[in-house]
């Protein structure tokens, strides 16, 4: 563990580039966290989204997700998950269960996300995100996830690492 102080090399509205000794990493500004939503309906379909991601230069297949505390000071993991689920997918949910905090790339990014499970889904709108987002919603049977991901990959989509949660049992088969 380094005793060197953490220096901010660069800071924008949403991220900071930091240095501690010779180690460089990125973090969210202002301590903002994220929530990632596994939304499974009563018919065993999961809600997925895809949207254009500037850092990748292409659309990315993902679980619905969003920031906690970016624009809402009173945000909780649950309230942010409910808001983002509705904004991105057009669904509300009866229950949100916090499954814990996770780190996607801890060697270079300090950002964490809270994984939640949303159940008791009801469609109330089209979703698609807020004005500057261009989100497509997919309701996919759990059994079809591997084929759906392969199809999207063949179409040139990136696949978010958190999709491994839904692919694990298929990927781990001998």
């Amino acid at each position: 563990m380094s005793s060197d102080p953490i220096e901010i090399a660069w800071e924008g509205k949403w991220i900071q580039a930091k240095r501690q000794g010779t180690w460089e990493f990125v973090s969210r500004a202002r301590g903002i966290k994220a929530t990632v939503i596994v939304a499974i309906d009563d018919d065993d379909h999961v809600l997925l989204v895809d949207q254009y991601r500037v850092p990748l230069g292409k659309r990315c297949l993902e679980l619905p997700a969003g920031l906690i505390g970016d624009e809402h000071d009173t945000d909780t993991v649950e309230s942010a998950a409910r808001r983002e689920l509705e904004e991105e997918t057009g669904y509300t949910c009866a229950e949100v269960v916090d499954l814990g905090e996770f780190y996607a790339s801890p060697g270079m990014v300090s950002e964490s996300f809270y994984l939640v499970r949303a159940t008791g889904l009801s469609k109330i709108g089209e979703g698609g995100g807020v004005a500057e987002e261009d989100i497509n919603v997919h309701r996919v049977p759990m059994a079809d996830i591997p084929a759906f991901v392969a199809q999207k990959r063949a179409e040139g989509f990136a696949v978010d690492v958190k999709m491994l949660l839904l692919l694990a049992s298929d990927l781990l088969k001998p």
Side-chain angles (χ1 to χ4, degrees), residues 99-115:
L99 302 174
E101 185 176 18
F102 296 85
Y103 298 83
S105 188
M108 65 180 269
V109 179
S110 66
E111 178 188 35
S112 67
F113 65 90
Y114 290 88
L115 184 66

Side-chain angles (χ1 to χ4, degrees), residues 25-45:
F25 61 99
V26 178
S27 68
R28 287 245 180 231
R30 303 183 320 274
I32 293 172
K33 304 265 185 188
T35 183
V36 176
I37 306 137
V38 179
I40 302 173
D41 67 18
D42 294 337
D43 295 330
D44 210 30
H45 287 72

Side-chain angles (χ1 to χ4, degrees), residues 86 93 115 169:
E86 186 175 332
C93 63
L115 184 66
S169 63

Side-chain angles (χ1 to χ4, degrees), residues 3-43:
S3 62
D4 294 330
I6 295 176
E7 306 167 41
I8 297 175
W10 177 86
E11 182 172 8
K13 181 177 180 180
W14 301 106
I15 62 172
Q16 298 173 325
K18 297 179 177 181
R19 184 179 306 112
Q20 186 172 26
T22 60
W23 201 268
E24 296 175 341
F25 61 99
V26 178
S27 68
R28 287 245 180 231
R30 303 183 320 274
I32 293 172
K33 304 265 185 188
T35 183
V36 176
I37 306 137
V38 179
I40 302 173
D41 67 18
D42 294 337
D43 295 330

Side-chain angles (χ1 to χ4, degrees), residues 82 85-86 89-94 119-124:
R82 288 177 182 279
L85 181 66
E86 186 175 332
T89 70
Y91 283 78
T92 61
C93 63
T119 55
L121 305 181
S122 299
K123 185 168 176 59
I124 61 164

